[in-house]
């Protein structure tokens, strides 16, 4: 059995057009901290942490059994989470987003993957290690979520990279 572990998480990728709009707005706001690169913008659904490489096939097969609806995601609040994570969050969480998270959590539990016990908090991180909390309102950033992705997170000399290992469609309701 391979000893190698992969650092994995399921997420919604931010589509390129919305990522460009979000970064253009963010970079005008003088938001403190270390800006998240445009290509890395995402909303985490489930963080698996280190998983044996040998489990990857089972995870890919499991994800293919998720059949929840596509939905519209609107990020409209600029917030600070924890110690200096500046984020965009939805004021209203679409039930289809919660169903997707629930479907993944249930299936991961069945595979023996224990998730963080903290409740799901939908957010897209814009900046880290910020010392000041922004107070301004955010515009609405919306897109139609029609897929979810399994990423491998890799730390490199250039910073963290997320490799897309699989992508699954969400069907129109
Ligand atoms: P780095 O930690 O190298 O600065 P990163 O936080 O972007 O970069 P990861 O730590 O691999 O990369 O995290 C990937 C995603 O999973 C991020 O959205 C991160 O916020 C989330 N995440 C990381 N650890 C946890 C955790 N314990 N519980 C929930 N989500 C987590
Ligand atoms: Mg991290």
């Amino acid at each position: 059995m391979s000893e190698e572990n992969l650092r994995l998480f399921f997420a919604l990728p931010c589509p390129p057009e919305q990522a460009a709009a979000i970064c253009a707005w963010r970079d005008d706001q003088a938001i403190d901290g270390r800006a998240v690169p445009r290509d890395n913008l995402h909303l985490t659904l489930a963080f698996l942490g280190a998983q044996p490489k040998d489990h990857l096939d089972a995870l890919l097969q499991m994800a293919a059994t998720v059949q929840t609806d596509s939905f519209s995601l609107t990020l409209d609040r600029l917030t600070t989470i924890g110690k200096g994570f500046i984020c965009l969050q939805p004021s209203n969480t679409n039930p289809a987003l919660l169903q997707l998270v629930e479907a993944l959590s249930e299936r991961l539990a069945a595979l023996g993957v224990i998730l963080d016990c903290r409740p799901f908090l939908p957010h897209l991180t814009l900046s880290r290690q910020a010392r000041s909390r922004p107070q301004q309102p955010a515009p609405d950033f919306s897109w139609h979520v029609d897929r979810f992705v399994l990423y491998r997170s890799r730390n490199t000399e250039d910073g963290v990279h997320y490799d897309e290992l699989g992508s699954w469609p969400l069907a129109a309701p």
Side-chain angles (χ1 to χ4, degrees):
M1 189 159 110
S2 161
E3 297 287 319
E4 196 185 334
N5 284 336
L6 305 176
R7 185 175 173 88
L8 301 177
F9 63 106
F10 285 101
L12 304 178
C14 183
E17 194 181 319
Q18 282 77 14
I22 288 170
C23 289
W25 173 79
R26 174 194 63 190
D27 297 344
D28 264 357
Q29 300 296 308
I31 286 177
D32 191 20
R34 195 159 52 86
V36 174
R38 186 177 63 183
D39 290 348
N40 282 4
L41 295 185
H42 67 276
L43 189 148
T44 300
L45 300 168
F47 178 75
L48 285 63
Q51 298 293 324
K53 205 173 182 180
D54 289 351
H55 288 182
L56 182 57
D57 279 347
L59 290 167
L60 297 173
Q61 285 172 33
M62 174 280 278
T65 71
V66 171
Q67 290 189 328
T68 58
D69 293 338
S70 62
F71 59 93
S72 169
L73 177 68
T74 299
L75 303 172
D76 57 353
R77 291 171 59 221
L78 182 63
T79 60
T80 305
I81 297 178
K83 288 189 179 157
F85 287 79
I86 312 290
C87 300
L88 288 172
Q89 293 193 265
S91 291
N92 298 302
T93 303
N94 194 307
L97 171 57
L98 297 179
Q99 282 157 12
L100 173 58
V101 168
E102 189 62 26
L104 285 169
S105 306
E106 282 170 2
R107 286 164 174 77
L108 285 166
L111 289 176
V113 178
I114 309 300
L115 298 179
D116 196 300
C117 58
R118 286 173 295 183
F120 172 62
L121 187 67
H123 67 280
L124 179 149
T125 305
L126 298 174
S127 176
R128 294 150 181 268
Q129 297 168 339
R131 282 159 301 175
S132 59
R133 302 168 78 95
Q135 302 296 334
Q136 63 269 50
D140 289 5
F141 294 105
S142 298
W143 70 89
H144 190 68
V145 177
D146 58 5
R147 71 183 187 116
F148 69 97
V149 165
L150 179 65
Y151 285 113
R152 175 190 187 184
S153 172
R154 265 188 312 116
N155 272 305
T156 75
E157 285 181 357
D158 302 331
V160 70
H161 279 264
Y162 306 141
D163 304 325
E164 187 174 313
L165 301 185
S167 171
W168 297 271
L170 299 172

